[in-house]
């Protein structure tokens, strides 16, 4: 089952490259829905029967490639599947437009390729393959970012790619240190054989910084706003909602699987917590002062990703297992609800840009009058980002505050409080512009019905996710990888 | 003393030199070459892991890693070069540093 | 299933009202169906039943708890009559989509908060109710309504902020977010803990506690009459319910909070009645009377804080007060419209005024009404607390004041020169409600059989009759003096509401001169506001320079190396 998750998108990518016109769209949609169903089936399987681990082609480690699916990876796979399916549906009408048509071939094959790489990233079970898959993700993501072909987007993509390459190199050097010390690459075995020597400390530093560079944590966020802001709207949605989550997922694996048994991570965690706190404040502040819609959303991603990094100090300094689970659940909820809400925001922004022909917030007038559904989508996704009840973002921030109070690290509470206020600031900035009446007949080009619906569905999902906390907690506590009986919890 | 230390120091120095190059050179081709120097350092370190003084055979895993790594780096370099060439074609400049008016996004 | 229907059925109807054309018309006519599942639930289900709503928020729990059943009965009854009154009237402005949807959403919030047994869903429903009620208040789109709505919103946001702080802290201090674990956990704290102050003030705004009350006489009358009725009758009780859910009532004595609540409660009871006498608009008089009656309830709640045993006695009294006030206030508010609609015929008008006297007398505590029963029981509680002498007199005097206020109200309502079209359905609804108020004491026996009292006891009869007669006599004697006199006293004091409004206007003026406000509406233009902020050169330059600094390759590579070394060193020291 897990291998299908990689196989289907890769095949679809090839087909999309060969086929033309309607057939290409059909192949892409078929690939997307098959991948979606495969993810859902795998999730159901893991939920009922526990974590899965297989070796591709019957070769065992160290030479073979192993795939493992546990509760954490299943959650991220499902997020990818939902966002991926909706983005694919959105893109069929989007890339049948006059300007976008020539790009369709490259977009579909690159996107399917990226989807396959992301799936394998969530399933990977040894650190070296993690590096390879990480590079696949970076290459396809940078190529997608460069898709529109303007000078600004090419520069942004190359800057992103060079940064990502440097991060990958640091990660690979860390892999080398791990192998030198532990003699194995398996994520779930390194922990018990590695110990906590200086080589392992160096490996932790290299891998962590390589990964936080890729997930645009403050102060390494410089590449993100141009890359996400210049790309096509669905591409920005993919980059913000999924690609950033990919490297964050790997960071979770490194910290809590690879280094789980060593005492290395305790002090270093507060560094990540500090950076996360700064990211929340700086990213949200920058989002408020931007005047272009997509840049607001891009900077908001930096802020929202910052919340995720509060997990490290919260989990690693608390003794009580119940609060650890609370922090874990908060983080996973934040990741999922941010992924859904951000994808929905970027897709809705794409609709607005298509309707008004500009990205500048001040020249968009009377959005609410001409695109009521898109305005509603913006409001719903905004509710989830701000963390108002009953959205997924509310559950995340509620649990985060509770575990911050429990861990006694009061300074971290500045993140949800200040971050929530600043988020409300930029969401209202977007929304208040929506109701400014425009000049007569100034707007607007029609927007395809499907495109509005796809964004709305994602926004509704980001609200509804708040209703299902129980299953997520179950997946995180009882369905953690079988190769690692202790799980995340000491 | 042990060869692992020498190799790892050399590798780290190469890695750092590559990083410095990435920072210092505005020219795109030089940046890409710097990345390759970083990669060279990492591969040197990996390949040195295959040798064990008290073991006659060599460990195949690091060699496999380096081979795979080289393939990945080649394709990444090719892609970066493509992007760089396209940028030069469009803007006529082989630099990434934007002109002052482009920087305010 | 019925639990879910009780809370969420209004949402289904709201969804129907969102649909265009005929659906909206049908939804408007069927609006009275919305509180029926809740009413059915209150009648059919056992008093301690609970229902786990695992899929909602953080595993919510619906249930009655120790006092939810009575509250649900009260809330759903007053919503039922208000919505029947709406549905049987003209479509006019009440038939607009904004009113129907917001009315139903507010109802969902109110019913949901009564049934919530955990802090998170309680807060969610509370916020839903508070913020949806805003659009009911400004529904008439008059300037006065916007002023009232603005002050309501300012106070609501302040209240919600304090509530959020209080609720988060209280959940943190207790093992879970369920109420049955929160109040024991809070019971082990000292009464001076800030969490109590937050909760006290947060719910106090909603309950119209004196000094936090000034939004109430503006906001409640501004809404359309059925909405005023539920605002004053049902929603205002959410504050009391909130205190009862969070504070450790009946577990530990909280003497300091008891004295605070009792003092403020009596203060409110007297202030409300006196200030109401200085008004002429019937709805405003009723709003002040709500402040006065809420003061009595807060006093009763305060008695319960004194001692565990007292709460066992004071609890049913409080419920009876709540019950009596909710139904009477609904009847009085709806009665205003009935009075206006029959105002052409003098005979009908007299009949209406006489019927209107029933809820009025019930509020004042005349013999054979729920009010007299409540006040008699309240005096018994005072006796058990050894506070009987002085406070019994105070309660009787406040009854007399209420009687005076009610006569003033009926007279003002009857003499108003307004003529509304007459709807038989509305009048019948109203008469039904009056009948229910008449039999209220017997309903209450069914709920709390232990609190039966002897009606024929001459002492009880006289003690509940004389304040009403005194009030009547005072009105007859002072008829021409009482309005100007109180007007003079309370007109001199500048209302807090006015101060807030002036501050708001001052701020608005300052902002407007800087081009932040839209010149026509009171809406803030946040884009221009933030642009003003952004365009200040300092801010722009600093953040711009910092972003450029982060973007330069040498800085990022330096930070890259620095971070690797920092994390590796931190890891190494940790090991």
């Amino acid at each position: 089952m897990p291998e299908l998750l990689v196989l289907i998108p890769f095949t679809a990518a090839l087909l999309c490259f060969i086929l033309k016109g309607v057939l290409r769209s059909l192949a892409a949609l078929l690939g997307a829905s098959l991948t979606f169903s495969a993810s859902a089936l795998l999730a159901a399987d893991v939920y009922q029967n526990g974590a899965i681990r297989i070796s591709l082609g019957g070769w065992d480690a160290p030479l073979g490639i192993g795939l493992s699916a546990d509760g954490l990876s299943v959650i991220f796979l499902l997020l990818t599947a939902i966002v991926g399916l909706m983005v694919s549906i959105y893109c069929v009408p989007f890339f049948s437009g006059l300007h976008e048509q020539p790009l369709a071939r490259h977009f579909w094959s690159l996107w399917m390729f990226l989807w396959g790489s992301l799936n394998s990233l969530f399933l990977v079970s040894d650190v070296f393959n993690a590096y390879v898959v990480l590079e696949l993700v970076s290459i396809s993501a940078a190529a997608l970012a460069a898709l529109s072909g303007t000078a600004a987007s090419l520069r942004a993509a190359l800057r992103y790619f060079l940064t990502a390459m440097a991060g990958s190199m640091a990660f690979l050097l860390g892999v080398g240190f791990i192998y030198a010390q532990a003699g194995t690459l398996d994520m779930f075995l390194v922990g018990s054989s590695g110990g906590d020597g200086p080589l392992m400390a160096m490996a932790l530093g290299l891998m962590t910084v390589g990964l936080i560079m890729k997930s645009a944590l403050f102060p390494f966020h410089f590449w993100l706003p141009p890359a996400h802001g210049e790309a096509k709207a669905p591409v920005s949605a993919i980059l913000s909602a999924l690609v950033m989550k990919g490297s964050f997922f790997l960071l979770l694996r490194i910290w809590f699987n690879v280094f789980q048994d060593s005492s290395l991570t305790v002090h270093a965690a507060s560094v990540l917590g500090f950076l996360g706190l700064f990211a929340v404040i700086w990213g949200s502040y920058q989002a408020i002062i931007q005047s272009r819609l997509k840049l607001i959303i891009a900077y908001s991603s930096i802020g929202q990703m910052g919340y995720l990094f509060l997990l490290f100090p919260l989990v690693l300094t608390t003794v009580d297992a119940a609060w650890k689970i609370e922090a874990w659940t908060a983080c996973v909820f934040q990741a999922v609800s941010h992924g859904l809400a951000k994808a929905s925001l970027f897709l809705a922004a794409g609709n607005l840009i298509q309707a008004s022909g500009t990205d500048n917030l001040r020249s968009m007038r009377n959005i609410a009058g001409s695109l009521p559904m898109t305005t509603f989508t913006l409001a719903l996704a905004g509710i989830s980002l701000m963390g108002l009840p009953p959205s997924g973002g509310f559950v995340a921030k509620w649990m985060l505050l509770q575990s911050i109070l429990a861990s006694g690290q009061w300074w971290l509470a500045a993140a949800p409080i200040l971050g929530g206020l600043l988020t409300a600031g930029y969401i209202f900035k977007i929304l208040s512009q929506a109701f400014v009446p425009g000049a007569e007949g100034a707007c607007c080009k029609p927007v395809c019905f499907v495109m509005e619906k796809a964004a709305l569905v994602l926004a509704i999902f980001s609200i509804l996710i708040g209703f299902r906390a129980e299953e997520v907690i179950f997946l995180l506590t009882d369905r953690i990888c079988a190769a690692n009986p202790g799980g995340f919890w000491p | 003393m042990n060869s692992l230390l020498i190799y790892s120091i050399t590798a780290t120095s190469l890695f750092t030199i590559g990083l410095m190059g990435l920072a210092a050179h505005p020219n795109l081709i030089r940046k890409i070459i710097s990345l390759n120097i970083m990669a060279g350092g990492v591969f040197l370190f990996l390949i040195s892991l295959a040798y064990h003084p008290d073991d006659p055979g060599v460990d195949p895993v690091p060699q496999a890693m380096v081979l795979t790594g080289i393939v990945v780096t080649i394709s990444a370099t090719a892609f970066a070069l493509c992007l760089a060439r396209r940028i030069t074609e469009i803007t006529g400049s082989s630099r990434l540093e934007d002109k002052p008016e482009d920087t305010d996004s | 299933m019925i639990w879910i229907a009780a809370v969420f059925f209004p949402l289904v109807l709201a969804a129907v009202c969102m649909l265009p054309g005929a659906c909206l018309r049908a939804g408007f006519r069927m609006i009275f169906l919305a509180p029926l599942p809740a009413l059915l639930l209150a009648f059919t289900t056992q008093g301690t039943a609970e229902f786990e709503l695992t899929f909602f928020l953080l595993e919510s729990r619906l249930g009655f708890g120790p006092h939810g059943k009575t509250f649900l009965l009260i809330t759903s009854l007053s919503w039922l009559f208000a919505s029947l009154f709406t549905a049987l009237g003209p479509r006019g402005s009440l038939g607009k989509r904004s009113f129907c949807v917001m009315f139903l959403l507010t109802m969902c919030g109110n019913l949901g908060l009564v049934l919530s047994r955990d802090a998170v869903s309680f807060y969610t429903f509370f916020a839903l109710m508070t913020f949806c009620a805003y659009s009911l208040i400004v529904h008439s789109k008059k300037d006065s309504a916007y002023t009232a709505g603005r002050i309501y919103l300012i106070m609501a946001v302040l209240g919600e902020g304090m509530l959020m702080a209080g609720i988060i802290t209280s959940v943190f201090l207790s093992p879970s977010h369920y109420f049955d674990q929160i109040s024991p956990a809070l019971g082990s704290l000292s009464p001076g803990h800030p969490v109590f102050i937050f909760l006290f003030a947060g719910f106090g705004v909603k309950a119209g506690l004196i000094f936090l009350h000034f939004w109430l006489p503006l906001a409640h009358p501004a809404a359309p009459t059925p909405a005023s009725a539920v605002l004053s009758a049902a929603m205002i009780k959410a504050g009391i319910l909130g205190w009862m859910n969070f504070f450790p009532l009946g577990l530990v004595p909280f003497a300091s909070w008891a004295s605070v609540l009792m003092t403020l409660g009596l203060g409110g009871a007297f202030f409300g009645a006196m200030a109401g006498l200085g008004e002429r608009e019937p709805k405003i008089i009723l709003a002040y009377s709500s402040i006065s009656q809420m003061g009595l309830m807060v006093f009763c709640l305060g008695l319960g804080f004194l001692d565990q045993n007292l709460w066992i006695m004071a609890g049913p009294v409080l419920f009876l007060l709540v019950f009596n006030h909710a139904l009477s206030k609904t009847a009085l508010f709806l009665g205003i419209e009935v009075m206006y609609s029959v105002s052409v015929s003098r005979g009908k008008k007299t009949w209406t005024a006489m019927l209107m006297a029933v809820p009025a007398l019930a509020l004042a505590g005349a013999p054979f009404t729920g009010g007299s029963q409540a006040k008699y029981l309240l005096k018994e509680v005072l006796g058990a607390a050894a506070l009987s002498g002085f406070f019994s007199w105070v309660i009787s005097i406040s009854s007399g004041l209420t009687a005076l206020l009610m006569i003033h109200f009926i007279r003002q309502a009857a003499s108003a020169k307004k003529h509304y079209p007459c709807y038989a359905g509305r009048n019948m609804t109203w008469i039904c409600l009056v009948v229910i108020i008449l039999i209220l004491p017997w309903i209450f026996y069914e709920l709390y059989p232990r609190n039966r009292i002897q009606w024929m006891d001459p002492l009880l009869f006289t003690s509940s009759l004389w304040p009403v007669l005194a009030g009547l006599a005072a009105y007859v004697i002072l008829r021409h003096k009482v309005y100007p006199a109180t007007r003079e006293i309370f007109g001199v004091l500048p209302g807090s509401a006015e101060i807030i409004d002036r501050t708001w206007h001052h701020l608005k003026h300052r902002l407007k001169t800087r081009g932040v406000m839209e010149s026509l509406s009171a809406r803030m233009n946040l884009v221009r506001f933030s642009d003003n902020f952004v365009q200040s050169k300092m801010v722009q330059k600093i953040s711009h320079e910092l972003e450029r600094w982060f973007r330069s390759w040498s800085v990022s590579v330096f930070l890259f190396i620095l971070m690797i070394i920092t994390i590796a060193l931190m890891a190494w020291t940790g090991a």
Side-chain angles (χ1 to χ4, degrees):
Chain A
M1 179 61 81
E3 64 271 25
L4 279 182
L5 280 176
V6 187
L7 211 58
I8 297 172
F10 281 175
T11 321
L14 281 179
L15 282 178
C16 288
F17 196 72
I18 300 166
L19 296 174
K20 271 189 179 155
V22 184
L23 280 178
R24 182 192 295 137
S25 308
L26 273 180
L29 278 185
L30 188 67
S33 37
L34 279 179
T35 319
F36 178 81
S37 345
S39 307
L41 285 176
L42 179 70
D45 191 16
V46 168
Y47 186 76
Q48 275 156 8
N49 305 328
I52 298 173
R53 179 157 186 168
I54 60 157
S55 303
L56 280 186
W59 289 84
D60 278 337
L63 286 181
I65 298 174
L67 296 181
S68 68
D70 64 355
L72 188 64
S73 44
V74 157
I75 292 170
F76 280 88
L77 280 174
L78 271 184
L79 168 70
T80 315
I82 295 172
V83 174
L85 184 66
M86 283 302 141
V87 169
S88 303
I89 291 174
Y90 179 91
C91 284
V92 174
F94 187 85
F95 280 101
S96 56
L98 198 61
H99 296 294
E100 279 84 9
Q101 197 141 32
L103 306 174
R105 180 182 181 194
H106 295 116
F107 170 78
W108 282 116
S109 35
L110 281 170
W111 158 224
M112 285 296 152
F113 188 69
L114 176 60
W115 194 345
S117 322
L118 276 172
N119 279 348
S120 31
L121 181 60
F122 296 134
L123 291 170
V124 79
S125 71
D126 70 273
V127 274
F128 182 71
N129 279 318
Y131 158 74
V132 177
V133 178
L134 208 55
E135 281 291 52
L136 293 186
V137 171
S138 299
I139 292 178
S140 40
L144 276 175
L147 199 67
S148 51
T150 60
S153 77
L154 286 173
R155 277 180 173 152
L158 187 56
R159 183 190 294 275
Y160 167 41
F161 188 63
L162 291 177
T163 320
M165 278 281 286
S168 300
M169 282 304 145
F171 187 83
L172 186 58
L173 193 57
V175 172
F177 280 137
I178 282 187
Y179 189 74
Q181 179 74 30
T184 175
L185 292 170
D186 190 298
M187 277 185 184
F188 307 103
L189 298 178
V190 172
S192 44
S193 49
D196 45 13
L199 274 183
M200 290 299 265
M202 200 59 200
L204 179 71
L206 282 166
M207 291 172 116
T208 307
V209 176
L211 286 173
I212 62 177
M213 203 144 168
K214 279 164 171 280
S215 40
L217 181 64
F218 178 91
F220 302 116
H221 61 281
F222 56 91
W223 57 266
L224 186 139
H228 289 198
E230 297 295 340
K232 294 276 175 197
V235 174
S236 316
I238 295 165
L239 292 181
S240 261
L242 304 179
V243 175
M244 290 170 86
K245 302 290 180 306
S247 36
F248 179 72
F249 170 83
L250 204 51
L251 196 62
L252 289 181
R253 278 271 188 256
I254 299 295
W255 276 62
F256 295 105
N257 283 112
V258 176
F259 288 95
Q260 61 152 348
D261 286 340
S262 63
S263 48
L264 292 174
T265 49
V266 179
H267 282 209
S270 53
V271 179
L272 286 189
F274 258 117
L275 292 184
L277 178 65
F278 280 122
V280 170
I281 295 168
W282 184 252
S284 310
Y285 165 70
Q286 284 289 330
I288 287 189
I289 65 173
Q290 299 302 315
S291 57
R292 281 177 49 199
L293 181 59
K294 285 182 78 179
L295 278 182
I296 295 180
I297 309 178
Y299 270 110
S300 137
S301 292
I302 297 169
Q304 297 286 326
M305 285 297 286
Y307 286 117
L308 300 181
F309 289 87
L310 302 185
L311 168 77
F312 297 101
L314 288 180
V315 169
L316 291 169
T317 54
T318 317
V319 188
D320 189 355
W323 290 113
K324 288 190 187 205
I325 298 174
E326 186 104 351
W328 261 101
T329 321
C331 158
V332 168
F333 257 96
Q334 172 65 20
V336 173
S337 67
H338 169 245
L340 292 169
K342 195 46 66 70
S344 148
L345 268 185
F346 264 123
L347 294 188
N351 291 341
L352 289 183
I353 292 168
Q354 196 170 61
S356 59
T358 169
D359 188 14
N360 195 330
L361 200 57
R362 296 185 72 178
S363 43
M364 288 181 185
R365 291 283 160 139
N366 197 19
I367 305 165
S370 48
L371 293 176
M373 200 193 286
T374 299
T375 313
F376 185 56
T377 308
L378 287 175
L380 275 189
I383 283 175
S384 192
L385 282 189
M386 279 186 272
L388 297 182
S391 63
F394 167 71
V395 175
K397 270 147 212 159
W398 173 272
M399 289 182 158
L400 200 61
L401 260 178
Q402 292 287 325
S403 50
I404 286 172
L405 291 178
S407 76
Q409 303 175 65
W410 295 91
W411 46 275
L412 285 178
I417 294 169
L418 270 180
L421 283 176
L422 290 170
T423 310
Y426 60 77
I427 294 293
F428 283 127
K429 180 171 170 174
I430 299 175
L431 282 180
S432 68
Q433 198 61 35
F435 293 98
V436 174
E440 282 299 312
C443 216
C444 357
K445 290 182 216 116
V447 173
C448 178
F449 181 71
V450 176
M451 287 163 64
E452 286 202 294
K453 273 283 186 287
L456 182 63
V457 167
L458 281 174
I460 289 175
F461 265 118
S462 79
I463 299 282
L464 288 186
I465 179 82
F467 294 84
R468 300 246 61 120
E470 196 189 2
E471 281 81 359
V472 172
I473 296 175
F474 177 74
L475 278 172
L476 282 176
T477 47
D478 289 7
R479 290 290 179 254
I480 286 310
C481 195
N484 180 22
F488 290 133
W489 326 107
Chain B
M1 45 177 286
N2 79 34
S3 56
L4 184 63
L5 193 66
I6 299 173
Y7 283 121
S8 59
I9 288 175
T10 320
T12 318
S13 327
L14 273 176
F15 185 84
T16 320
I17 289 171
L19 262 181
M20 293 299 179
L22 191 65
H25 293 294
N27 188 302
L28 282 176
I29 304 292
R30 289 185 183 220
K31 277 192 197 297
I32 294 169
I33 291 175
S34 305
L35 271 177
N36 276 283
I37 293 176
M38 285 169 74
V42 177
F43 295 149
L44 174 69
F45 176 68
L46 283 180
I47 204 79
S48 73
L49 294 178
Y51 170 71
H52 288 286
D54 43 348
D55 186 1
V58 280
D59 188 354
V61 177
Q63 295 183 340
M65 273 159 55
V66 170
L67 277 178
T68 320
I70 288 175
V71 174
V72 171
T73 317
I74 284 178
S75 35
T77 310
F79 173 62
L81 281 174
C82 273
L83 278 181
R85 206 188 67 171
R86 189 86 186 115
I87 289 175
T88 318
E89 271 175 19
I90 291 184
T91 64
S93 144
S94 59
R95 296 177 169 214
L96 198 58
E97 293 317 317
D98 319 313
K99 292 174 216 95
E101 64 265 24
D102 290 352
T103 48
D104 51 350
S105 26
Chain C
M1 198 56 216
I2 183 150
W3 291 93
I4 298 175
V7 177
F8 295 106
F9 187 62
L11 285 187
V12 178
L13 273 181
V16 171
C17 289
M18 291 286 279
L19 299 173
C23 291
L24 173 62
R25 285 197 290 279
F28 171 69
R29 291 297 172 204
M30 292 190 307
I31 207 166
F32 68 91
L33 293 179
L36 285 181
L39 195 61
L40 192 66
L41 177 72
F43 274 121
T44 56
T45 313
Q46 283 298 312
T48 50
E50 294 205 325
F51 180 75
E52 298 279 342
L53 207 58
T54 43
F55 62 88
F56 185 65
L57 291 174
L58 306 172
E59 306 198 9
S60 294
R61 190 182 288 169
L62 297 180
F64 288 139
H67 27 250
K69 189 168 174 176
T70 321
F71 263 86
L72 184 69
L73 188 62
I74 297 165
T75 313
S76 53
L77 266 180
S78 72
W79 276 101
L80 175 68
F81 280 101
S83 50
L84 260 177
F85 199 80
T86 312
L88 294 172
R91 270 191 67 227
S93 95
L94 296 189
K96 283 190 185 150
R97 177 167 293 141
S98 62
F99 182 80
C100 291
V101 172
M102 285 303 171
F103 189 77
L104 288 165
L105 286 180
T106 317
M107 189 189 302
C108 170
N110 197 350
L111 295 174
L113 78 89
V114 171
L115 287 180
S116 300
R117 294 308 301 152
D118 66 300
V120 178
S121 49
F122 182 86
Y123 177 74
T124 309
F125 285 120
F126 195 90
L128 178 71
M129 180 186 85
T130 305
F131 289 111
C132 290
Y134 169 75
S135 78
L136 298 181
I137 291 168
V138 300
H139 181 73
S140 67
K141 298 204 162 55
K142 288 181 195 143
D143 279 349
S144 59
Y146 276 118
T147 312
R150 194 159 56 230
I151 291 169
Y152 172 79
L153 209 53
I154 292 173
M155 290 308 290
V157 168
L158 288 179
E160 293 285 312
M162 276 185 279
L163 266 191
M164 191 72 201
I167 289 180
I168 287 212
T169 326
S170 63
V171 172
F172 166 65
L173 292 169
S174 28
S176 78
H177 61 297
Y178 298 116
F179 283 139
D180 46 10
Q181 286 176 312
I182 287 181
S183 42
L186 293 194
S188 57
L189 300 175
S190 91
H193 197 279
V195 66
F196 293 120
I197 298 168
F198 285 132
L199 290 171
F200 175 73
F203 288 122
V205 171
K206 179 58 68 185
L209 198 69
I210 189 170
F211 301 126
L212 298 171
H213 69 278
F214 43 81
W215 59 273
L216 199 149
L218 295 167
H220 285 190
T225 306
S228 304
V230 281
L231 269 167
S232 240
M235 286 187 234
I236 194 171
K237 309 292 189 303
I240 298 246
L241 188 64
W243 280 328
M244 293 202 296
N245 279 335
F246 282 93
F247 279 71
L249 263 177
L251 299 172
V252 275
F254 258 32
S256 47
W257 280 110
S259 51
V260 170
L261 282 171
M262 286 165 70
T263 319
L264 290 179
L266 278 187
F270 278 86
F271 167 80
M274 297 299 288
L277 287 172
E279 296 293 337
R280 282 219 149 128
E281 165 67 38
K283 282 171 107 180
I284 300 181
I285 302 177
L286 286 187
Y288 274 113
S289 145
S290 290
I291 295 177
S292 156
Q293 295 296 313
M294 287 305 285
L296 211 54
M297 289 170 221
V298 172
F299 175 75
C300 182
L301 186 67
L303 272 178
F305 273 103
L306 275 179
D307 195 342
Q308 294 95 308
N309 297 325
L310 277 178
W311 170 241
I312 298 171
M313 288 176 75
V317 183
L318 178 61
F319 299 145
L320 184 54
L321 278 173
V322 169
F323 210 151
N324 185 42
H325 174 246
L327 291 185
S328 311
K329 204 38 75 67
T330 317
L332 289 171
F333 265 110
L334 300 183
I336 300 175
E337 293 243 329
V338 175
M339 182 73 100
Y340 292 167
S341 71
V342 298
S343 59
V344 272
S345 142
R346 202 172 166 76
K348 276 187 187 169
K349 210 166 164 176
T350 319
W351 273 107
T352 315
M354 283 175 73
L355 281 177
M356 188 103 98
V358 171
L361 287 173
L363 271 191
F368 307 114
T369 61
S372 78
Q373 190 186 3
K375 279 169 194 170
Y376 178 77
L377 291 171
L378 185 57
K379 284 174 193 165
E380 271 190 354
V381 181
L382 282 171
L387 294 169
S388 184
F390 171 68
F391 283 106
S392 292
W393 277 97
V394 171
I395 301 286
S396 296
I397 295 170
S398 92
S399 291
L401 273 176
T402 307
L404 184 61
L405 183 65
M406 283 299 119
I407 300 164
H408 177 59
F409 159 73
I410 294 179
R411 186 156 172 80
Q412 293 298 334
S415 62
K417 297 274 179 289
K418 287 185 183 166
H419 303 291
Y420 287 4
C422 187
Y423 292 88
R426 280 188 160 184
N427 299 352
M428 288 313 296
T429 313
W430 184 65
I431 291 171
C432 283
L433 181 56
V434 172
V435 171
I436 291 186
I437 293 169
L438 270 178
I439 60 166
L440 177 65
W442 286 272
I443 300 177
F444 198 70
Y445 288 155
E446 293 299 315
L447 291 171
Y448 295 93
R450 285 196 299 140
N451 290 293
R452 184 178 287 271
I453 56 172
Q454 292 301 320
W455 289 113
M456 284 307 139
D457 180 4
L459 193 69
L460 166 64
F461 188 78
T462 43
S463 78
S464 53
L465 189 61
W466 76 258
V468 179
L469 288 179
L472 191 64
Y475 187 76
V476 172
I477 299 163
L478 302 170
R479 184 167 35 175
H480 302 295
K481 299 208 178 106
V482 67
Y483 172 74
T486 48
R487 183 92 198 150
E488 208 164 293
I489 298 168
F490 290 98
V492 181
L493 301 167
S496 322
E498 206 173 324
I499 295 176
I500 284 202
D501 206 39
R502 269 189 210 154
T503 324
W504 171 260
H505 275 289
H506 178 70
L507 276 177
K508 189 178 148 191
H509 180 74
R510 294 263 321 255
L511 291 172
K512 206 190 226 165
T513 48
R514 292 188 186 170
V516 174
M517 303 292 293
E518 290 283 294
S519 50
L520 288 176
S521 61
R523 197 187 299 141
M524 272 183 90
N525 187 340
L526 281 164
V527 177
R528 204 180 299 166
F529 177 70
S530 63
D531 278 3
N532 270 4
F533 180 63
V534 174
Q535 277 156 13
S536 70
K537 283 216 175 76
M538 265 284 275
V539 176
Q540 194 150 29
K541 200 169 169 210
I542 291 174
S543 61
H544 205 88
E545 284 301 311
L546 269 176
E547 276 296 283
R548 267 178 77 131
W549 192 69
F550 285 130
R551 199 176 301 165
S552 89
W553 282 97
S554 28
V555 171
S556 52
V557 163
F558 168 72
L559 286 173
F560 185 74
I561 296 174
L562 183 75
M563 286 307 304
I564 292 178
I565 293 172
T566 317
I567 289 185
L569 275 182
M570 293 292 274
W572 181 229
T573 51

